[in-house]
Amino acid sequence: AGRGAPRVVLASRTGPAAGAGALAARLAEAGTTVTIVKADISERPSVRALLTWIAASGPRLSAVMHTAGTAQACQVADASVAELTRAMAAKAAGAAHLDELTVGQDLDAFVMFSSIAATWGSGAQPGYAAANAFLDALAENRRGRGLAGTSVAWGAWDGGGMTDAEGAVQLARRGVRLMDPQRAVAALGQVLDGDEGLVTVSDMDWARFAASFTV
């Protein structure tokens, strides 16, 4: 919205119940129309219906920001097919559906929110790490096809998101600090302006991280 988008469509499995109404109101005051809709990005028919509605209601879709994700706490040895499917559905399947169903729409940006779990791994998150690695590979694949494609492997965000208080303490012990959301969004702007394909953005204590990572 800060970059002048005339309309933003926020889609999630919970839709309006996700509690983004106040955000939508603030953005509307700044001149961007915000619509909150219910759509399961992991289901191809749901994605097709969403894109059809966007095309019919206008303005045209110009950018995709794929931020969906599901947390995981599971050791590799305990990761069943069902567990891996659950962990990968929103990120990997959702990205694949968006990639397939937006071909030919001449997008200015196709941005996927990956994770440092794909950059250097993450304990007890085998499916989550694999799903994010898929996003990184898909960005490269899209760029190889001459399409817009960016995958940002994020560290831990402060102010909510997928990192709870206990997780933040554990990450800090390993040298991964919580990122200020405003600085992270500013970094995202730099990624878009620089037409980056793959990039990792994280607030790190490198000395502490190296010690634990190379143990």
Side-chain angles (χ1 to χ4, degrees), residues 4 41 60 104 111 118 123 137 142 161 163 165 170 175-176 181 192 196-197 200 204:
I41 208 72
R60 78 169 185 89
V111 182
R142 284 183 58 88
T163 305
Q170 295 298 325
V176 183
L192 291 170
E196 300 277 1
T200 299
M204 305 295 296

Side-chain angles (χ1 to χ4, degrees), residues 69-145:
T70 302
Q72 185 182 31
C74 175
Q75 299 299 323
V76 174
D78 301 323
S80 64
V81 172
E83 167 65 22
L84 292 174
T85 299
R86 183 195 68 80
M88 297 183 73
K91 274 190 176 290
H97 298 325
L98 287 165
D99 169 55
E100 177 189 354
L101 295 173
T102 59
V103 169
Q105 295 198 27
D106 191 26
L107 298 176
D108 299 324
F110 188 101
V111 182
M112 295 170 285
F113 275 34
S114 179
S115 166
I116 54 175
T119 305
W120 47 62
S122 183
Q125 293 186 312
Y128 181 76
N132 285 291
F134 175 84
L135 301 189
D136 295 347
L138 179 58
E140 291 280 37
N141 178 273
R142 284 183 58 88
R143 294 174 77 87
R145 287 181 276 147

Side-chain angles (χ1 to χ4, degrees), residues 172-183:
R173 289 175 179 170
R174 291 167 172 79
V176 183
R177 298 181 289 236
L178 296 183
M179 297 183 296
D180 175 75
Q182 294 302 317
R183 294 188 67 187

Side-chain angles (χ1 to χ4, degrees), residues 9-16 34-40 50 53-54:
V9 177
L10 302 177
S12 70
R13 284 174 295 181
T14 49
V34 179
T35 306
I36 304 174
V37 299
K38 186 174 182 179
D40 188 342
L50 173 64
W53 173 79
I54 291 174

